[in-house]
């Protein structure tokens, strides 16, 4: 059973990187301020052990980037816990927020009982970061409603993309599937490399437009055309594939612009088959996902650790 604050027992935990000696050492990361709000990762989709493992890896990456970070996981379709004293295996976002508020109140009462003069805490109890690469209005409405239902002072951030780091992550997933060169700088070819990419997303027109921005960044990395299409719109993937073929692309790949929990794998497989495309894995717990989740948190609170930036794939 997982806890709302960390991985299940026995899972590896990312530790903060040791500070390197010398004149060219990297800046030492800023630690989370004492009493800082919790980062609560809002995980969409049906809860499962696979989803939990992915979410725990994301928060582990965030903790390694900001020591002392209180990071928790709440599931949009999780189990409610009215008592807020113990947690089910997949706690709902509402329950996790209520638990965070109860813990903060208990700390204040404990300090006062010990004779300390403690003012009522200011600021949000938590910053809620949706585990979504692109906008999905239906899911965001549900996340916003869960925050309201918790009756907890919490800030809800925007989704993680578009961002150059997500283009990097897509490049890596394509290269892992043998559908793109791993390194643009080395002059070698991959026999199965795609000469056109369909970027699959969910969430309607707004999601397709946002994916298109990251798609332009991916096209610049790979020097091949990239077009975004809605996975949840019947025939959209196949139509986009035909459009790419009409413009000269012969070997296509389908790249999910999705992290994983929000993805219907059966829908992805069916769309790839219909379009005649090879398919890469979803983004999953790529390190950029944890870094971008942390960046949403720190930007909301005005904390300034080392900011994530895009980098070539080697």
């Amino acid at each position: 059973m997982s806890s709302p604050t960390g991985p299940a027992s026995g899972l590896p935990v990312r530790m903060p990187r040791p500070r390197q000696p010398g004149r060219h050492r990297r800046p030492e990361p800023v630690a989370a301020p004492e009493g800082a709000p919790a980062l609560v990762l809002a995980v969409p989709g049906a809860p499962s052990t696979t989803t939990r493992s992915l979410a725990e890896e994301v928060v582990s990456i965030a903790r390694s980037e900001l020591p002392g970070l209180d990071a928790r996981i709440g599931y949009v379709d999780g189990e409610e816990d009215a008592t807020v004293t113990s947690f089910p295996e997949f706690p709902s976002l509402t329950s996790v927020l209520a638990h965070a508020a109860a813990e903060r109140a208990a700390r204040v009462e404990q300090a006062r009982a010990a004779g300390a003069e403690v003012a009522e805490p200011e600021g949000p109890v938590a910053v809620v970061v949706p585990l979504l690469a692109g906008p999905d209005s239906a899911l965001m409405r549900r996340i916003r409603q869960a925050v309201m239902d918790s009756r907890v002072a919490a800030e809800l951030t925007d989704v993680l993309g578009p961002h150059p780091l997500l283009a990097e992550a897509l490049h890596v997933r394509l290269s892992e599937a043998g559908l793109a060169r791993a390194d643009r700088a080395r002059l070698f070819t991959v026999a199965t490399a795609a000469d056109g990419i369909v970027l699959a997303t969910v969430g309607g027109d707004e999601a397709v437009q946002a994916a298109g921005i990251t798609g332009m960044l991916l096209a610049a990395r790979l020097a091949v055309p990239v077009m975004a299409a809605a996975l949840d719109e019947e025939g959209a993937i196949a139509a986009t594939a035909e459009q790419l073929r009409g413009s000269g692309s012969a070997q296509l790949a389908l790249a999910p612009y999705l992290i994983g929990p929000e993805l219907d794998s059966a829908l992805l497989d069916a769309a790839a088959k219909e379009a005649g495309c090879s398919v890469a894995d979803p983004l999953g717990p790529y390190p950029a996902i944890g870094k971008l989740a942390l960046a949403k948190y720190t930007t909301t609170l005005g904390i300034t650790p080392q900011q994530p930036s895009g980098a070539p794939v080697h």
Side-chain angles (χ1 to χ4, degrees):
M1 181 178 293
S2 65
S3 73
T5 57
S9 177
L11 290 177
V13 176
R14 290 176 179 264
M15 301 302 292
R17 294 184 293 269
R19 190 178 188 186
Q20 297 180 352
R23 183 161 58 92
H24 300 292
R25 65 178 180 265
R26 297 176 64 178
E28 190 171 8
V30 177
E34 185 177 355
L39 186 163
V40 177
L41 196 66
V43 181
S48 67
T49 54
T50 300
T51 296
R52 182 178 63 207
S53 178
L54 188 159
E56 287 174 344
E57 177 68 4
V58 170
V59 299
S60 181
I61 292 164
R63 289 191 190 104
S64 73
E65 295 290 321
L66 185 64
L69 174 67
D70 176 8
R72 310 176 184 221
I73 300 166
Y75 299 87
V76 178
D77 290 313
E79 302 167 80
E80 297 293 341
D81 175 29
T83 65
V84 200
T85 56
S86 61
F87 269 76
E89 188 173 11
F90 302 105
S92 71
L93 177 57
T94 300
S95 294
V96 171
L97 290 171
H99 191 269
E103 282 188 342
R104 184 161 83 165
R107 287 194 296 270
V108 171
E109 289 304 314
Q110 186 177 12
R112 288 173 175 169
E117 293 185 6
V118 181
E120 287 297 326
E122 297 182 358
V125 168
V127 175
V128 178
V129 181
L131 188 60
L132 293 168
D136 187 318
S137 56
L139 274 173
M140 287 300 290
R141 277 196 300 271
R142 294 189 62 201
I143 292 171
R144 191 172 291 107
Q145 186 62 52
V147 173
M148 293 174 60
D149 290 346
S150 73
R151 300 181 182 275
V152 169
E155 296 282 348
L156 175 61
T157 76
D158 201 352
V159 297
L160 304 182
H163 195 280
L165 280 175
L166 294 179
E168 174 191 302
L170 287 163
H171 184 177
V172 170
R173 294 296 181 240
L174 285 163
S175 67
E176 288 172 346
L179 300 172
R181 288 182 303 158
D183 190 337
R184 296 169 296 163
R186 297 175 187 164
L187 300 179
F188 66 90
T189 60
V190 176
T192 56
D195 59 4
I197 309 292
V198 180
L199 206 56
T201 188
V202 295
D205 291 341
E206 184 184 5
V208 172
Q209 291 175 12
I213 298 172
T214 300
M216 288 189 291
L217 299 172
L218 180 62
R221 297 180 69 91
L222 300 179
V224 301
V226 178
M227 295 183 66
L231 188 63
D232 50 353
E233 180 181 328
E234 187 175 356
I237 299 293
T240 302
E242 285 307 307
Q243 191 174 345
L244 282 167
R245 290 190 178 101
S247 64
S249 297
Q251 190 160 305
L252 303 183
L254 183 60
Y257 186 59
L258 300 161
I259 296 171
E262 77 281 36
L263 173 63
D264 182 337
S265 58
L267 198 62
L268 178 66
D269 293 340
K273 184 177 180 180
E274 182 184 5
C277 295
S278 300
V279 62
D281 287 336
L283 299 172
Y286 187 73
I289 304 299
K291 292 177 181 179
L292 288 173
L294 178 64
K296 293 292 182 184
Y297 171 87
T298 55
T299 299
T300 299
L301 297 179
I303 304 171
T304 54
Q306 188 172 345
Q307 293 297 308
S309 58
V313 178
H314 294 290

